[in-house]
Amino acid sequence: MDTRVAVIGIIVENKESVDKLNSILHDYSDIIIGRMGLPYKERKISIISIAVDAPQDIISALSGKIGNLPGISAKAAYSNVIYHE
């Protein structure tokens, strides 16, 4: 199986979607390397970055599910290095 390391950048503008976001992240917890969240109170948003290691299709699925939540944006940036396991 080929895996890649990626970072998913998430902007949360709707706090009502946070429970669903956390549920999705829990479902994918086995591929998550680390997570950092920053509340930006002045703009009433939160900025989250998730580092993952997984096949590209799994990373894309996770990013897509997150980005489909109301008031949440997500984009993935991939490493060019592919690991063969």
Side-chain angles (χ1 to χ4, degrees):
M1 170 175 35
D2 293 343
T3 66
R4 296 175 81 177
V5 173
V7 176
I8 301 173
I10 303 167
I11 304 292
V12 179
E13 298 172 339
N14 180 358
K15 294 190 185 230
E16 293 177 10
S17 295
V18 170
D19 287 340
K20 184 61 178 163
L21 170 62
N22 284 327
S23 176
I24 292 169
L25 293 176
H26 177 75
D27 291 343
Y28 286 83
S29 63
D30 57 324
I31 69 164
I32 294 175
I33 301 167
R35 171 181 175 169
M36 179 180 64
L38 301 167
Y40 191 4
K41 294 179 184 179
E42 292 82 7
R43 301 282 188 225
K44 297 181 180 170
I45 63 171
S46 294
I47 304 158
I48 302 169
S49 61
I50 308 291
V52 296
D53 186 356
Q56 186 169 342
D57 59 333
I58 302 294
I59 297 169
S60 295
L62 172 57
S63 183
K65 286 180 183 181
I66 293 170
N68 282 330
L69 295 172
I72 296 184
S73 302
K75 298 288 181 192
Y78 295 89
S79 163
N80 289 324
V81 179
I82 297 174
Y83 300 93
H84 306 284
E85 294 182 14

